[in-house]
Amino acid sequence: MTTPTPLRALALTCSLKPSPAPSSADLMARQVLDALAGHGVEGELVRVVDHDVKPGVEVDMGEGDAWPAIREKVLAADILLIATPTWVGQMSSVANRVVERLDAEISETDDQGRPHTFGKVGIVAVVGNEDGAHKISADLFQALDDVGFTLPAQGATYWNGEAMHGTDYQDLDETPEAVATTTATVARNAAHLARLLKEQPYPPAS
């Protein structure tokens, strides 16, 4: 039996709540990582708000910037998950900052002229008590694609609570079946695509 190609995943949780406060986005990110583990993918989670990620669109924004260390984890991963809560129908400001910092990868290339993000898979998780998951997924998909990540089929999982309701995802007694099924699909397709890209990289720039 062929041993599957080993893979690594990094989840960037974009909650507005610093650790150790409970976070629904954090919970969903961990569920995605658990699902990926079932496909032989080793995972790590970083709650971005715990780190001083400076505003900007450069790889390193200078003294005190925590992004370079996080970026090293991004570059070491085969799969990047961005998990965000929904605020006023939008992704969190932390998720926006992550997207801004990833923009620098467009001009960071390997010795064959390909961005370092080529060959990496991008996936999304969204939680919230208001509408917005589809728009947020679309915005994040476009951003991830722009900077070089490849998107799997059905590469987003989400939960939106009832409108005008105060229940958080982390308050549910159990994960809704539809969410669990979608999360399993995201993990299965992301691991499959990441292995394909690792074994057969994109061609070099001409």
Side-chain angles (χ1 to χ4, degrees), residues 15-76:
S15 172
L16 299 181
K17 302 173 183 176
S19 299
S23 161
S24 289
D26 202 77
L27 172 60
M28 181 169 275
R30 292 185 187 280
Q31 290 176 339
V32 175
L33 290 179
D34 287 344
L36 284 166
H39 298 279
V41 182
E42 181 180 345
E44 179 181 2
L45 185 146
V46 173
R47 196 183 296 198
V48 179
V49 76
D50 291 341
H51 306 271
D52 187 11
V53 175
K54 305 292 187 185
V57 291
E58 304 293 336
V59 167
D60 189 339
M61 295 306 298
E63 184 177 357
D65 185 18
W67 180 254
I70 295 175
R71 177 178 181 264
E72 288 301 314
K73 296 178 184 292
V74 172
L75 295 182

Side-chain angles (χ1 to χ4, degrees), residues 5-155:
T5 303
L7 297 173
R8 290 185 57 81
L10 175 67
L12 296 182
T13 299
C14 298
S15 172
L16 299 181
K17 302 173 183 176
S19 299
S23 161
S24 289
D26 202 77
L27 172 60
M28 181 169 275
R30 292 185 187 280
Q31 290 176 339
V32 175
L33 290 179
D34 287 344
L36 284 166
H39 298 279
V41 182
E42 181 180 345
E44 179 181 2
L45 185 146
V46 173
R47 196 183 296 198
V48 179
V49 76
D50 291 341
H51 306 271
D52 187 11
V53 175
K54 305 292 187 185
V57 291
E58 304 293 336
V59 167
D60 189 339
M61 295 306 298
E63 184 177 357
D65 185 18
W67 180 254
I70 295 175
R71 177 178 181 264
E72 288 301 314
K73 296 178 184 292
V74 172
L75 295 182
D78 303 290
I79 300 169
L80 176 66
L81 165 66
I82 298 180
T84 179
T86 304
W87 289 107
V88 200
Q90 310 294 319
M91 73 179 83
S92 72
S93 58
V94 179
N96 265 308
R97 178 144 312 172
V98 167
V99 168
E100 290 164 359
R101 297 307 301 270
L102 285 172
D103 183 73
E105 300 307 323
I106 295 174
S107 58
E108 297 292 321
T109 58
D110 62 18
D111 57 6
Q112 294 185 310
R114 297 169 296 198
H116 297 297
T117 48
F118 275 28
K120 298 183 185 300
V121 170
I123 52 178
V124 170
V126 183
V127 293
N129 291 323
E130 54 193 284
D131 192 20
H134 281 177
K135 179 186 183 303
I136 292 170
S137 296
D139 289 346
L140 285 171
F141 279 165
Q142 182 63 56
L144 288 167
D145 180 72
D146 277 350
V147 300
F149 289 87
T150 301
L151 312 175
Q154 297 183 348

